[in-house]
Amino acid sequence: MLSDKLNKTLLRTTDNYIKALEKGGILTVSDLLNHFPRDYDDRTNVLDNFSLLNIKEKNTILVKLLSINSQKTWNNKLLTKAVLEDKNGFLSEAVWFNRKYLANQLKNFENKKIIVSWKVKYAFWKVTFQSPEVETDLEKISWEIVPVYPEINYIPSKWIEWKIWLLKNAISEVSEDLPEEIIKKYWFISKKDAVLKIHFPRNKQDIEQAEYRLAYGELFDINYKSIWAKFENFRQSEGKSISIKMNAELVKEILSHFPFEFTNHQKIALFQILRDMEKNHCMQRLLEWDVWTGKTAVAFVAGVHAILEAKIQVAIMAPTEILARQHFDWMQNFLLNFWINSDLLVWSLTEKHKKEAKQRLKNGTTQIVIWTHALVQEDVYFENLGFVVVDEQHRFWVKQRETLEKWFWNKSELIPHNLNMTATPIPRTLALTLYWDQDLSIISEYPKWRKEIFTKVAKNDEQRLQIENFVRAEIEKWRQVFWISPLVEESEKVDLANAINTYENLLNIFHPYKVGLLHWKMRPKEKDEIMRDFAENKIKILSSTSVVEVWVNIPNATIMCIEWAERFGLSQLHQFRWRVWRGAYQSYCYLFPSKWQYTDRLKAMEKTNNGFELAEIDLEIRWPWEVYWVRQSWVPDLKIAKLTDLELISQIREDIEELFENKKN
């Protein structure tokens, strides 16, 4: 029955409701039973007096409905407002937005008792219920716990509650999703009992027990696949990867050539990487960093150590040619200290130069290569590739990552150690869940000499004018400016600021200073010319789209201005901001939201420069796969579990690894 398709006979409903369910992805009996409550009404304690309300908690109260009416607001939203009276004659208000049929449904209950459930807000000397649940059947006061379901295409909770009641017998067919060892270890109830209690709880203990059991099962299912992949990689590469013994004295010598001292976090991450490479199976590690914490330097030291200690080749892969060239230029003088041969392999090279570079890789002359993932193809061979670094790993999809990690042709048939790096601070909970086929290193410590970026959100036209005057003053000091816009050209549907219009406005505002324009639709030669002029300080202000997120290093650029800032996620805003955190000068970031919206997200940008703190906030506000560009077909939507629950995720990780270790023994 669980796999049966929902129909109007089974649910005793109409075709319109079945179509609405289908649009919401609810197709089968199992789908509807897995549509879990988002909350519960505790009707064991129904209030009857407004003075007993708790503004910090959800309340259920018996009141008289005096009146209910609907009207259009100034922005064309439908506002429904009701006046409520408690047993002592005191009045309150309930409001709903865009609930088209609510006023008609409740009109017949004017001057009658109803049950209202939700949190209240106290403002302007009155109590207001905002979008509360309403029950007109007073007999339901006797119910112990009433589930409240998320709406499905405007299908209300009460309708869903009744239909799940009709399908109650199907719950007996729910199969177990956890190993017997785990169930015994934690004395878990069965999954079918958990599903039954989540929909039909007798008390709060039932809810807590069911939610924990189902959350554990969801996270276990996701992470088991990743842990399995991790152990399978270890098994397949056993004896096929070079074991590189860590040479502490050599590491010290390499570090001595750096113009700066490594932070403690950099040293810890480097130690973890070098320890992994001592094993005779391939390393699978994710190096995660916040802005300007030095992940590239850590990977580079590990690569030089591997070349000098084990005589292998190293490949560092960047997502764009811009970054590949930046890495290559940065490391040239350093490599001369150790007589290490290097190559750059990118699409813009002539066919002759690419052919020569590939030949040097094939015969082993080149010891370290910087290239882009676009060049992973069958005519690139290595003599003895032993270490692969994939930069900006979060930009690659699962299938691409498998290719990057596993597709490398070696004459010696080596399976190289693999280090993935991401410049986007990802909350530890999300990183553990998405990348559990890899071990995790995090660098979140800033160099002591780094000044924090001053960030301000413009709240009106006057503040914007003040910022523009400040920008002009900085330009007169020979500083440079990034000016970011979300779109390239006009959109008929969405009236957004864009790089082209912004460019034209900036020409007028900052005359006679030179303004440049950069966006994805430009040809590579055009982009290179603009980049070169900006790097040489010929262009003072660069009007750009989000292409600047992976742009070159411009230490003299000290100001970042972002139009329509509320359109970007916190992580992306943080990526933009750190583009002006390159030199020794004080840096500034100014955010210009549309209609001067001062949102919680923008407030967070003003409060902290810490990318990991911002990532946690972004994870709470937005859908995680949307935030980090990592929506994958193998990651299911979570119904009960939360990706912010580090304690539970860590516990599940230990349990799964223990299962695999026991099987291995």
Side-chain angles (χ1 to χ4, degrees):
M1 185 175 177
L2 288 175
S3 60
D4 289 354
K5 190 173 181 180
L6 297 174
N7 57 63
K8 61 181 182 181
T9 302
L10 182 64
L11 293 184
R12 304 177 195 175
T13 188
T14 64
D15 287 331
N16 288 336
Y17 277 96
I18 296 300
K19 290 178 181 178
L21 289 173
E22 290 176 351
K23 288 181 181 179
I26 308 295
L27 306 177
T28 66
V29 171
S30 179
D31 292 336
L32 191 54
L33 290 177
N34 282 309
H35 186 72
F36 300 134
R38 61 174 169 80
D39 205 347
Y40 295 89
D41 284 343
D42 184 357
R43 294 182 181 168
T44 58
N45 182 27
V46 178
L47 306 176
D48 57 8
N49 190 330
F50 291 142
S51 65
L52 300 176
L53 293 173
N54 188 333
I55 62 173
K56 295 182 179 180
E57 297 178 357
K58 185 177 177 180
N59 300 270
T60 299
I61 186 168
L62 179 66
V63 295
K64 180 189 284 188
L65 175 64
L66 296 183
S67 66
I68 184 165
N69 294 287
S70 295
Q71 61 187 43
K72 291 281 187 176
T73 63
W74 63 271
N75 57 354
N76 207 35
K77 288 185 177 181
L78 183 67
L79 172 65
T80 301
K81 186 181 295 186
V83 178
L84 310 174
E85 182 185 57
D86 70 5
K87 74 170 186 177
N88 295 326
F90 291 103
L91 302 181
S92 179
E93 190 176 70
V95 294
W96 300 264
F97 284 98
N98 296 325
R99 296 286 290 271
K100 186 175 181 181
Y101 303 107
L102 187 64
N104 292 335
Q105 290 173 349
L106 295 181
K107 201 70 176 177
N108 295 332
F109 291 90
E110 285 186 341
N111 294 312
K112 294 181 181 179
K113 296 283 188 178
I114 61 172
I115 302 170
V116 175
S117 300
W118 206 243
K119 290 183 179 180
V120 295
K121 182 178 180 181
Y122 182 76
F124 303 106
W125 301 280
K126 66 179 179 181
V127 172
T128 304
F129 290 84
Q130 296 182 329
S131 300
E133 298 289 335
V134 176
E135 179 58 66
T136 57
D137 184 359
L138 300 188
E139 291 184 2
K140 293 195 174 183
I141 293 178
S142 62
W143 286 27
E144 292 185 350
I145 303 285
V146 179
V148 179
Y149 293 90
E151 290 187 354
I152 306 172
N153 288 321
Y154 301 104
I155 296 177
S157 172
K158 286 192 292 184
W159 187 95
I160 299 170
E161 177 191 342
W162 168 239
K163 301 310 173 186
I164 288 180
W165 181 272
L166 293 177
L167 303 176
K168 186 176 181 179
N169 290 337
I171 296 176
S172 61
E173 299 180 13
V174 172
S175 58
E176 191 53 69
D177 62 347
L178 290 176
E180 188 176 347
E181 302 97 304
I182 298 295
I183 294 174
K184 288 181 178 179
K185 180 177 180 179
Y186 295 107
W187 296 86
F188 277 141
I189 59 175
S190 66
K191 184 176 181 181
K192 66 180 178 182
D193 285 342
V195 174
L196 184 66
K197 289 185 176 184
I198 204 79
H199 289 299
F200 308 103
R202 296 166 299 177
N203 48 51
K204 290 183 179 180
Q205 288 72 27
D206 277 357
I207 298 171
E208 293 173 359
Q209 190 179 34
E211 286 182 341
Y212 185 77
R213 166 64 183 81
L214 293 171
Y216 189 102
E218 283 185 329
L219 292 171
F220 185 94
D221 182 59
I222 296 172
N223 291 293
Y224 187 89
K225 298 171 185 176
S226 298
I227 293 287
W228 178 88
K230 173 182 172 180
F231 276 81
E232 185 65 15
N233 283 335
F234 290 166
R235 187 188 66 79
Q236 291 181 0
S237 62
E238 192 79 34
K240 298 179 182 178
S241 298
I242 291 183
S243 174
I244 306 171
K245 187 176 181 180
M246 183 171 63
N247 185 331
E249 293 303 315
L250 177 58
V251 173
K252 290 179 183 178
E253 182 184 351
I254 297 171
L255 291 176
S256 69
H257 290 278
F258 273 83
F260 56 84
E261 183 179 354
F262 270 31
T263 64
N264 289 331
H265 282 205
Q266 283 179 296
K267 292 175 182 177
I268 292 170
L270 178 60
F271 177 80
Q272 291 170 336
I273 292 166
L274 296 178
R275 279 298 184 202
D276 278 359
M277 295 174 74
E278 286 187 321
K279 300 170 184 176
N280 67 345
H281 60 67
C282 73
M283 171 180 66
Q284 292 288 331
R285 183 167 288 276
L286 175 67
L287 177 59
E288 184 186 356
W289 72 313
D290 199 358
V291 297
W292 260 106
T293 49
K295 78 176 191 325
T296 306
V298 171
F300 186 64
V301 172
V304 172
H305 174 271
I307 292 170
L308 297 177
E309 188 68 19
K311 313 303 179 186
I312 60 171
Q313 291 173 297
V314 174
I316 300 177
M317 187 170 296
T320 66
E321 183 169 324
I322 300 169
L323 283 177
R325 288 185 176 278
Q326 182 176 318
H327 290 333
F328 183 76
D329 292 341
W330 172 78
M331 71 181 188
Q332 289 312 296
N333 290 334
F334 191 94
L335 292 177
L336 287 176
N337 295 308
F338 302 97
W339 297 97
I340 294 176
N341 297 322
S342 62
D343 254 317
L344 175 70
L345 189 54
V346 293
W347 276 115
S348 63
L349 295 177
T350 65
E351 287 302 317
K352 178 183 177 183
H353 286 149
K354 279 193 280 190
K355 184 177 181 180
E356 291 173 349
K358 292 173 186 177
Q359 182 58 42
R360 289 191 291 270
L361 287 174
K362 189 175 182 179
N363 61 31
T365 304
T366 295
Q367 294 162 287
I368 185 169
V369 63
I370 308 292
W371 63 340
T372 64
H373 77 280
L375 285 170
V376 177
Q377 52 187 317
E378 293 186 2
D379 62 343
V380 179
Y381 296 86
F382 293 86
E383 171 69 24
N384 61 338
L385 180 63
F387 182 35
V388 175
V389 179
V390 182
D391 198 5
E392 299 284 349
Q393 187 269 349
H394 70 284
R395 295 179 177 276
F396 303 126
W397 293 79
V398 168
K399 293 299 181 184
Q400 285 179 308
R401 185 154 67 88
E402 289 177 356
T403 301
L404 296 178
E405 293 173 359
K406 296 179 180 178
W407 183 98
F408 291 104
W409 291 98
N410 280 296
K411 288 181 181 178
S412 57
E413 297 186 352
L414 287 176
I415 296 179
H417 294 289
N418 184 259
L419 176 66
N420 293 309
M421 303 193 298
T422 176
T424 299
I426 303 174
R428 185 173 178 82
T429 52
L430 187 59
L432 285 173
T433 301
L434 291 180
Y435 303 115
W436 243 1
D437 57 337
Q438 306 169 69
D439 293 304
L440 183 65
S441 293
I442 295 178
I443 304 177
S444 57
E445 181 184 5
Y446 301 101
K448 294 179 181 178
W449 55 270
R450 177 65 55 190
K451 297 178 182 178
E452 288 197 356
I453 302 175
F454 174 80
T455 303
K456 181 176 178 59
V457 180
K459 302 179 184 65
N460 51 50
D461 291 318
E462 183 180 353
Q463 288 188 2
R464 181 180 179 114
L465 181 59
Q466 292 173 349
I467 292 169
E468 289 173 353
N469 290 335
F470 175 77
V471 170
R472 176 176 285 274
E474 288 294 294
I475 293 173
E476 291 172 355
K477 295 178 183 176
W478 214 244
R479 306 286 186 263
Q480 291 169 274
V481 184
F482 289 106
W483 213 292
I484 308 298
S485 305
L487 291 182
V488 176
E489 57 191 22
E490 285 288 350
S491 168
E492 295 179 359
K493 296 181 179 179
V494 185
D495 182 21
L496 291 179
N498 57 71
I500 296 174
N501 283 348
T502 302
Y503 166 74
E504 294 171 352
N505 292 334
L506 294 175
L507 285 174
N508 295 324
I509 295 171
F510 295 101
H511 180 78
Y513 295 107
K514 188 173 181 180
V515 181
L517 176 63
L518 182 70
H519 56 75
W520 283 114
K521 292 189 176 182
M522 297 173 69
R523 295 179 179 178
K525 288 185 178 180
E526 292 178 302
K527 286 193 288 187
D528 288 344
E529 185 177 347
I530 294 294
M531 294 172 185
R532 187 165 50 251
D533 287 348
F534 193 53
E536 295 174 0
N537 208 352
K538 295 177 182 177
I539 291 175
K540 293 297 182 181
I541 303 175
L542 184 64
S543 177
S544 172
T545 59
S546 58
V547 63
V548 78
E549 188 188 345
V550 289
W551 213 58
V552 291
N553 181 17
I554 308 292
N556 194 56
T558 59
I559 300 177
M560 172 66 68
C561 295
I562 304 175
E563 301 283 356
W564 286 78
E566 79 282 0
R567 298 281 178 174
F568 297 103
L570 275 174
S571 294
Q572 197 170 16
L573 288 173
H574 188 59
Q575 287 289 303
F576 292 145
R577 180 167 62 179
W578 80 274
R579 290 297 154 189
V580 295
W581 209 13
R582 297 282 175 154
Y585 306 115
Q586 177 63 54
S587 298
Y588 307 87
C589 178
Y590 296 107
L591 307 176
F592 303 122
S594 61
K595 300 178 182 178
W596 309 120
Q597 301 177 53
Y598 191 44
T599 63
D600 290 340
R601 187 183 303 161
L602 300 184
K603 289 178 185 177
M605 287 290 292
E606 286 185 323
K607 290 178 180 178
T608 181
N609 279 270
N610 187 298
F612 287 91
E613 290 181 15
L614 292 172
E616 291 285 358
I617 296 170
D618 218 6
L619 181 59
E620 291 286 351
I621 294 174
R622 306 170 73 207
W623 187 242
W625 323 125
E626 174 189 289
V627 174
Y628 301 104
W629 308 287
V630 289
R631 193 178 221 346
Q632 312 289 2
S633 60
W634 57 274
V635 180
D637 293 340
L638 297 177
K639 308 291 185 183
I640 295 289
K642 294 181 180 179
L643 290 173
T644 54
D645 193 343
L646 177 59
E647 185 177 344
L648 180 57
I649 292 173
S650 298
Q651 176 186 318
I652 291 172
R653 176 182 184 178
E654 292 177 6
D655 291 340
I656 295 174
E657 292 194 340
E658 184 179 338
L659 287 174
F660 279 102
E661 290 293 343
N662 291 339
K663 288 181 180 178
K664 194 166 77 171
N665 296 332

